[in-house]
Amino acid sequence: MSNEGKKVRAHYVGTLDNGEKFDSSYDRGEPLEFTCMAGQMIAGFDKAVVDMTVSEKKKVRLEPAEAYGEARPELIQEVPLVQVPNGDQLPVGETIYMYGPDGQPMPVQVVKIEDGVVTFDMNHPMAGKALNFEIELVEVL
């Protein structure tokens, strides 16, 4: 039986290959609710859940192509510091939010500030990384 197109609730723990936990619905005390195979989730997570049964647990490892994709070099940009409002106050190594052409906020990592130039990385923080998930299907609505 397929869960495709059905609203499901699942608990999960996400880890990197080094064992570092990057996310967990258990920590929030609330399962994640989404419509299976509707493009609301990363592709590999959707595929893992599509054939699960309620209370089943599964471990999956997703390559970047099934998760957030590879890091794209064209999304790393250097901008003269004078063109950035309050550029001298940017938190190097942290993520800030800038507005895209459509007016939507997008997360951008401040990589470095050097010689009057700030380097921004607009790749998703998980781009280029394999992700491991322990998934428990809690409910099919």
Side-chain angles (χ1 to χ4, degrees), residues 22-132:
F22 62 83
D23 196 9
S24 170
S25 63
Y26 293 104
D27 292 350
R28 290 188 295 280
E30 185 69 33
L32 179 66
E33 186 173 300
F34 63 98
T35 302
C36 190
M37 302 303 284
Q40 298 172 344
M41 302 296 296
I42 55 177
F45 197 98
D46 255 347
K47 286 181 197 160
V49 174
V50 74
D51 60 357
M52 289 178 72
T53 57
V54 172
S55 76
E56 180 182 350
K57 293 183 180 184
K58 179 187 276 189
K59 290 183 180 183
V60 294
R61 182 176 188 276
L62 307 180
E63 292 300 325
E66 298 174 291
Y68 291 98
E70 294 295 343
R72 296 177 23 214
E74 68 271 18
L75 293 181
I76 298 173
Q77 297 186 355
E78 295 182 341
V79 179
L81 201 53
V82 295
Q83 294 181 9
V84 182
N86 301 315
D88 57 339
Q89 297 170 24
L90 287 171
V92 175
E94 293 186 27
T95 299
I96 62 168
Y97 285 86
M98 299 179 108
Y99 292 95
D102 56 1
Q104 291 294 314
M106 54 189 231
V108 176
Q109 184 178 23
V110 181
V111 178
K112 66 181 177 181
I113 299 174
E114 199 172 275
D115 300 325
V117 174
V118 60
T119 303
F120 293 115
D121 185 347
M122 293 171 270
N123 283 291
H124 188 282
M126 294 292 167
K129 296 179 180 172
L131 306 180
N132 302 288

